[in-house]
Amino acid sequence: MWTAVSLKRENQICRSVLSAQKCLPLSLLRYTLQPAGKGWFTISDPTKAISQCVDNYLRMHKMESPLLLSMDLRRSPAEQDMALISFYKQPNVEWGRPLNCRLEGDTAIGQGVTRFFFSTCMEKLKSGFCINFGNANVTRLFEGEPGHLVPSASHFLVESDMFMVAGRMVGHSFLHGGPCLSGLSPAIVHVLLGGSPETATVTLEDCPDLDIRETIRLLEGESTLSEKDAGSVQELAYAWDLPSLTEKNRRWIFEKLLIHAVIGRVTRQIKQFRRGLKETSMWTVLTQRPDTVALLLPKEGGGNISPEVLLQRITWPCEDDDDDNDYSVDTRCRMTGYLRQFIVNATPTELTNLVKFWTGWEILPTSPSVEVVMGRYPTASTCFETLRIPGHYKDYKSFERDIQACICSCQTGFGLV
């Protein structure tokens, strides 16, 4: 199905409509391809519905020329981040096309490299890009506490279409089964999906500016404000075109200040982020299947990896004696015992980094495997989701030291084919 959507751009774009080829001015029409069929819409399980929708969407574009995403690991962090931004700033891209990812300066190839890119994109959206956009070494698109992230109020980022970039990154990761952007403020998600700011549940924790937050906090309760505090509140209210503070409108002023601090200042950012999402089928799923919102825009910590689930899914080395094995059954059992101990005692961050080192991103696979091999340090074949542990360790402390060093290197490339 083709849906016509008007745009202001004056470029030309050629699209295939059914079997005919037509060339139309983009200033008049833009055709946004919707997921083929509606079978996914009627699937009761939201996870399966998402998978079916994505499969349908990618299948329609599998014969098109692939997109190429490339990053040179020999370049500076700023240049690496700019490579990602430049890729997602391209206009008129069909994000459902096949994707080829390449790491220059690294011999790695395959699916693990693709996972690395999407994991990096989601991390950069939360932690910031190493680019100086405004007298800072790191520029964050989303600010605030974990679980209460809101778009940055920077006008420069909006004028640079950075939130369009963010929406495209999130939607593209969705199409390839990658990690989600977690931890957004529920109030931002509410407005993003079309809800009114007036009906959003906004809390003080959603306000990323601590000075503004503390000023608004003064209005909580019913205690009498000092002259200084009342002046601070009044100054903020006037700055945002609100009336003078009185005892009768105190609660109303509190709510208006809070809504504007969290939502009102970033309305353009939210709209731009939404436009980026609309370029992929993720927007269709979010709006037509509300039960998928918690899966696609999860709360902070909602995707934390459970040690019990990870241990249950691992395919462990067989305990049979085999001439093809580098080590005896006793040695293999000792090494896997060390790994079990590490997983049980690991923090959520350590478990996430372990899975990223193991598979290329932080999504727990169905059946990751472990091998005990000859070698000096633990390595991983991300394409095959296989962790290779050397069999030379004689105690847990030395094993833990090396595995910690390895999982901290998951941001710096692969080093293996």
Side-chain angles (χ1 to χ4, degrees), residues 50 54 58 88 99 111 114-123 169-182 282 295-298 359-364:
I50 292 170
V54 169
L58 294 179
Y88 284 104
L99 177 65
Q111 190 63 28
T114 302
R115 294 171 184 165
F116 171 82
F117 271 105
F118 285 124
S119 177
T120 300
C121 286
M122 294 304 103
E123 181 185 352
M169 284 182 173
V170 173
H172 202 204
S173 182
F174 159 79
L175 289 177
H176 291 272
C180 304
L181 178 61
S182 63
M282 180 175 176
L295 297 174
L296 300 180
L297 296 172
T359 67
W361 58 21
E362 53 270 42
I363 298 176
L364 187 60

Side-chain angles (χ1 to χ4, degrees), residues 10-284:
E10 297 179 355
N11 302 36
Q12 296 284 328
I13 184 169
C14 295
R15 296 291 192 195
S16 172
V17 182
L18 299 178
S19 60
Q21 295 291 330
K22 295 184 179 181
C23 189
L24 299 173
L26 190 57
S27 57
L28 299 178
L29 292 174
R30 180 184 179 185
Y31 287 97
T32 304
L33 195 58
Q34 303 297 325
K38 282 290 186 180
W40 63 272
F41 184 77
T42 60
I43 298 175
S44 59
D45 186 331
T47 303
K48 293 181 179 178
I50 292 170
S51 178
Q52 183 65 50
C53 176
V54 169
D55 288 345
N56 290 344
Y57 192 78
L58 294 179
R59 193 180 303 117
M60 289 188 295
H61 300 285
K62 67 179 181 179
M63 300 307 294
E64 297 180 22
S65 59
L67 301 170
L68 175 61
L69 175 54
S70 178
M71 176 196 294
D72 194 335
L73 294 180
R74 297 164 295 190
R75 299 290 186 179
S76 67
E79 290 173 308
Q80 293 178 31
D81 287 358
M82 188 54 72
L84 292 176
I85 293 172
S86 298
F87 177 78
Y88 284 104
K89 271 204 166 191
Q90 298 177 88
N92 306 326
V93 173
E94 174 48 68
W95 301 106
R97 289 160 54 187
L99 177 65
N100 291 338
C101 294
R102 185 169 63 214
L103 285 174
E104 304 289 348
D106 196 303
T107 56
I109 58 174
Q111 190 63 28
V113 178
T114 302
R115 294 171 184 165
F116 171 82
F117 271 105
F118 285 124
S119 177
T120 300
C121 286
M122 294 304 103
E123 181 185 352
K124 292 294 182 180
L125 289 179
K126 297 177 69 173
S127 64
F129 292 91
C130 297
I131 298 176
N132 188 345
F133 275 134
N135 299 321
N137 291 329
V138 175
T139 299
R140 298 186 63 183
L141 268 63
F142 295 89
E143 301 175 329
E145 300 179 8
H148 300 275
L149 295 177
V150 302
S152 168
S154 168
H155 291 289
F156 182 81
L157 294 178
V158 176
E159 297 301 328
S160 301
D161 291 329
M162 288 302 295
F163 293 97
M164 174 80 81
V165 168
R168 290 169 175 172
M169 284 182 173
V170 173
H172 202 204
S173 182
F174 159 79
L175 289 177
H176 291 272
C180 304
L181 178 61
S182 63
L184 288 179
S185 161
I188 296 298
V189 174
H190 173 80
V191 176
L192 175 69
L193 298 179
S196 167
E198 302 298 328
T199 59
T201 303
V202 187
T203 66
L204 281 169
E205 289 74 18
D206 291 327
C207 182
D209 189 309
L210 297 182
D211 292 334
I212 293 177
R213 182 193 299 185
E214 292 309 311
T215 300
I216 298 175
R217 193 190 299 276
L218 295 172
L219 293 172
E220 278 193 315
E222 298 179 356
S223 59
T224 303
L225 298 181
S226 67
E227 184 176 345
K228 178 181 178 181
D229 290 344
S232 298
V233 172
Q234 193 62 74
E235 183 179 357
L236 183 62
Y238 284 157
W240 290 346
D241 298 325
L242 293 174
S244 299
L245 174 66
T246 67
E247 286 299 322
K248 292 184 178 181
N249 70 4
R250 176 172 176 160
R251 183 64 190 178
W252 182 84
I253 290 285
F254 171 80
E255 293 174 353
K256 290 296 182 181
L257 287 175
L258 188 55
I259 290 174
H260 187 75
V262 176
I263 299 173
R265 298 196 303 161
V266 296
T267 300
R268 292 178 63 200
Q269 287 86 332
I270 295 172
K271 289 181 178 179
Q272 199 175 93
F273 184 54
R274 185 189 297 137
R275 285 169 55 200
L277 290 176
K278 284 183 176 181
E279 294 188 12
T280 71
S281 60
M282 180 175 176
W283 181 254
T284 302

